[in-house]
Amino acid sequence: MVRLCFLLLALMARLLPAQPLFFDGSAGAGIGHPGRNFGVTFGDYDGDGADDIYISRHNAPNLLYRAIGNGQFMEVAAEAGIAHVGTTNVSAWGDFDNDGHLDLYLGNRDEPNILYRNNGDGTFTDISVSAGVNSGHRTRAVLWGDVDRDGYVDLYVANLAAPNYLYHNNGDGTFTDITAAANAQDFGIAMGSLFFDYDNDGDLDLYLTHDANQPNILYRNDGTGHFEDVSVASGANIAAQGMGVDFADINHDGFFDLYITNLYENVLLLSDGDGTFTEIGGPAGVDDLGMGWGTVFLDYDNDGHSDIYVSNDTYFAPFDNLLYRNLGNTTFEIVSEGTPLSSPMAGYGVATGDVNSDGKPDLLLVNAGSQDGNQLFLNSTENGHHFVKVRLRGTESNTAAIGARVTVEANGQVQMDEVCAGMGYASQNSFTLHFGLGDATLIDRLSIRWPSGAVETYEGLGVDQHYFITEGEGMVTNVSSIAEAASELKIWPNPAEERLYIQVNGEDSRKEALLRVFSGTGTEVYRAQVAPGRVWELPLNNWPAGTYWVHWAGAYRQHVRQFVKP
């Protein structure tokens, strides 16, 4: 009888929902900074393998938090030349010139928008005027995406009660306004927007949310960068006080669904799989009544189902922020009550990334109250579930692989996600895609559909790993922890002109290990056996300029670091 009771309790424990365990790690990470903060974007601007963070603000310098390891950051916006002081609502990272370095676009309210080109040495140059993208309307959303699949990311700028812009990337550092020619016009009160492939035909479609009960717009891409308005036919023409929007396949049917925040009821559009949507916010239990702004899908408990976080301006309406747990049957339950995630402040943008590289997606929330600080919610939920993280680099496709779709099959379940540059409200998630795997101990198949149209498949991959995949090169690198890589594999200087110094430390370096260097196209250009603790000098005099990857394979771990040869 005692044994039976024990077994029943164990079974009940497995069936009970995993409660979230998040704590506010803002102070320890160095990213508190109170003020009128509106948007947050994740992006590895310095190529060291760890996500950095940019914050859009009003009436104070914008913030650039550079990752320095162990989940900590240093504020370097002024040093980098991107501490714009004005009324920035939104920013987005994207490598518009395909040089391997993420560039940054700012959408401002009261001054012209700004395109900062990444110089590859930790600094940026304002090229807005020469590039032809210095529009001057009240911008609310910025999206990067290769709408015509020519290998260069284009730029969409959504404005408040002013014309939106679709800028075609000419591939020479300039852009051309093709909004009318592409039939992507919008003159409404634009808010959050998305590029995503809603009809599974391999190109990026466009979704625009609106405030003031103006119907939202869904534009279907015909594959050439020309759009057709399918808002009414699809049922995506929700008319409310729309603010933020994100996408995910919540029921694993192979089609993306949409979640939209509003003033009053939020909306969940479930794809019917035939180009139409059904609104199920109420039945699904996610129709929050607050003043919703930011929102993001993430699998906080790594159970293989996409959960939803909602950011509310609690000062405008007395509704706290919410974390909805996906129950796996197109319904959700609130699991944030009594946790730091409730955060009763003036919440705006929110985005997700694994800040401390522990395999659990974290949340960064920016607040707009003058005394409210930014909040980094570190995820410490423990349930034994597995995960996989995937970072992509395009070659025929744009280098940041924006628009690439990754599909993961494990333990009879199929998940998918796309690399997206601009989502939620004024925000952007990490370029590293994160998939929870539940109890699966092997990935049966991982497939990538690149923006170029190429498809690659890998089978029998291990779980709890971070994979870097370069288009067409077939190179998959297993990384246990980016934070450990930063401490165990050190390289300097970066950029390196004449020589690069390499040192391997840590418990995994007690015997010689294989060190290899790959070019930006994935070609091996150097290899050596490296002794533990020794500083290895690598002459670079005859090496061509470009981006390189240092790959070190120890007895138990493998690490990758990127450097630049000017």
Side-chain angles (χ1 to χ4, degrees):
M1 184 69 180
V2 173
R3 178 178 173 81
L4 177 61
C5 290
F6 176 80
L7 291 174
L8 287 173
L9 287 171
L11 177 61
M12 290 176 63
R14 289 181 62 84
L15 293 176
L16 287 172
Q19 294 302 309
L21 178 60
F22 285 79
F23 67 92
D24 190 333
S26 314
I31 63 171
H33 287 89
R36 300 194 65 202
N37 305 300
F38 286 90
V40 51
T41 60
F42 282 89
D44 179 12
Y45 83 94
D46 55 359
D48 65 354
D51 278 326
D52 310 297
I53 298 167
Y54 193 77
I55 306 292
S56 306
R57 316 176 83 200
H58 284 196
N59 306 326
N62 292 343
L63 303 167
L64 174 62
Y65 297 121
R66 181 172 66 84
I68 57 176
N70 300 318
Q72 296 181 312
F73 296 84
M74 177 183 298
E75 206 290 300
V76 296
E79 174 185 330
I82 53 177
H84 176 68
V85 181
T87 53
T88 303
N89 284 324
V90 55
S91 64
W93 297 103
D95 184 6
F96 81 89
D97 52 3
N98 285 340
D99 66 352
H101 309 299
L102 290 179
D103 310 297
L104 183 67
Y105 190 81
L106 305 188
N108 299 318
R109 187 189 69 184
D110 298 336
E111 59 274 2
N113 294 343
I114 301 173
L115 174 59
Y116 288 113
R117 182 184 183 277
N118 190 331
N119 299 320
D121 60 0
T123 67
F124 293 78
T125 299
D126 181 348
I127 62 165
S128 315
V129 175
S130 63
V133 292
N134 61 325
S135 55
H137 300 295
R138 294 180 290 174
T139 299
R140 290 295 184 128
V142 171
L143 312 175
W144 292 104
D146 185 0
V147 299
D148 57 357
R149 297 190 296 178
D150 65 352
Y152 291 91
V153 286
D154 309 299
L155 179 65
Y156 195 85
V157 180
N159 298 308
L160 187 72
N164 290 358
Y165 291 97
L166 175 58
Y167 293 110
H168 179 261
N169 188 337
N170 300 320
D172 59 1
T174 67
F175 293 76
T176 299
D177 179 3
I178 62 166
T179 317
N183 191 39
Q185 304 96 329
D186 180 23
F187 303 94
I189 302 178
M191 290 292 182
S193 304
L194 283 175
F195 275 135
F196 77 115
D197 183 6
Y198 102 94
D199 54 359
N200 291 345
D201 65 352
D203 53 51
L204 291 177
D205 308 299
L206 175 64
Y207 191 68
L208 306 171
T209 72
H210 291 129
D211 199 352
N213 286 309
Q214 296 178 354
N216 297 346
I217 297 176
L218 176 60
Y219 280 117
R220 180 184 180 274
N221 190 340
D222 68 1
T224 68
H226 186 270
F227 294 85
E228 175 190 2
D229 188 339
V230 295
S231 312
V232 176
S234 67
N237 60 328
I238 299 296
Q241 289 78 37
M243 299 297 169
V245 59
D246 200 12
F247 66 92
D249 181 9
I250 67 167
N251 57 353
H252 308 287
D253 67 349
F255 291 88
F256 285 126
D257 313 297
L258 291 168
Y259 187 73
I260 304 159
T261 57
N262 296 287
L263 171 60
Y264 308 122
E265 293 93 341
N266 292 347
V267 170
L268 177 58
L269 294 178
L270 185 71
S271 174
D272 300 319
D274 59 1
T276 67
F277 294 87
T278 298
E279 204 289 296
I280 63 165
V286 294
D287 54 343
D288 172 48
L289 290 170
M291 176 65 259
W293 288 95
T295 188
V296 61
F297 281 105
L298 76 160
D299 185 0
Y300 83 89
D301 53 359
N302 280 334
D303 67 350
H305 304 299
S306 295
D307 311 302
I308 304 173
Y309 187 73
V310 176
S311 167
N312 285 318
D313 183 350
T314 307
Y315 301 154
F316 186 94
F319 293 86
D320 291 346
N321 297 351
L322 295 170
L323 177 61
Y324 291 109
R325 179 175 182 263
N326 188 336
L327 300 179
N329 58 3
T330 66
T331 67
F332 295 73
E333 65 175 350
I334 298 172
V335 293
S336 50
E337 291 181 353
T339 77
L341 296 173
S342 296
S343 183
M345 292 193 249
Y348 274 73
V350 63
T352 184
D354 186 2
V355 169
N356 52 5
S357 300
D358 64 354
K360 304 180 187 71
D362 308 303
L363 287 164
L364 203 156
L365 170 69
V366 295
N367 296 297
S370 59
Q371 302 303 313
D372 297 344
N374 300 321
Q375 293 175 284
L376 173 61
F377 297 123
L378 292 173
N379 186 352
S380 298
T381 304
E382 295 292 346
N383 53 21
H385 288 163
H386 300 289
F387 69 93
V388 66
K389 298 193 292 185
V390 182
R391 178 71 177 270
L392 303 176
R393 183 184 186 280
T395 53
E396 294 299 318
S397 306
N398 67 89
T399 56
I402 296 167
R405 176 178 292 192
V406 175
T407 303
V408 174
E409 302 174 43
N411 206 20
Q413 181 170 276
V414 180
Q415 302 181 61
M416 66 180 188
D417 200 0
E418 288 180 356
V419 180
C420 180
M423 47 65 64
Y425 178 78
S427 297
Q428 180 176 343
N429 294 327
S430 171
F431 282 107
T432 298
L433 301 182
H434 186 117
F435 298 88
L437 300 174
D439 296 330
T441 56
L442 181 72
I443 298 170
D444 301 313
R445 186 175 293 104
L446 188 151
S447 302
I448 306 110
R449 189 194 68 192
W450 299 91
S452 65
V455 176
E456 299 178 20
T457 301
Y458 301 88
E459 297 184 346
L461 297 179
V463 301
D464 298 336
Q465 303 294 342
H466 187 167
Y467 293 100
F468 288 86
I469 303 175
T470 301
E471 181 182 12
E473 302 297 336
M475 185 182 77
V476 180
T477 301
N478 232 351
V479 180
S480 300
S481 165
I482 299 299
E484 290 173 355
S487 62
E488 295 186 1
L489 175 60
K490 297 182 178 180
I491 63 173
W492 72 93
N494 190 7
E497 295 189 11
E498 298 180 356
R499 58 184 56 83
L500 180 75
Y501 296 98
I502 304 168
Q503 185 176 31
V504 178
N505 302 297
E507 292 184 2
D508 202 24
S509 63
R510 287 176 288 186
K511 60 181 181 179
E512 286 193 348
L514 178 63
L515 178 76
R516 296 188 293 170
V517 180
F518 295 88
S519 70
T521 60
T523 303
E524 182 179 310
V525 295
Y526 181 84
R527 72 161 52 200
Q529 291 290 331
V530 177
R534 174 182 171 185
V535 176
W536 197 266
E537 182 178 336
L538 180 60
L540 303 176
N541 291 357
N542 298 322
W543 290 35
T547 300
Y548 295 86
W549 296 88
V550 178
H551 174 244
W552 167 71
Y556 308 105
R557 300 184 178 94
Q558 301 183 53
H559 294 315
V560 173
R561 299 294 303 280
Q562 184 189 71
F563 75 92
V564 176
K565 169 71 163 58

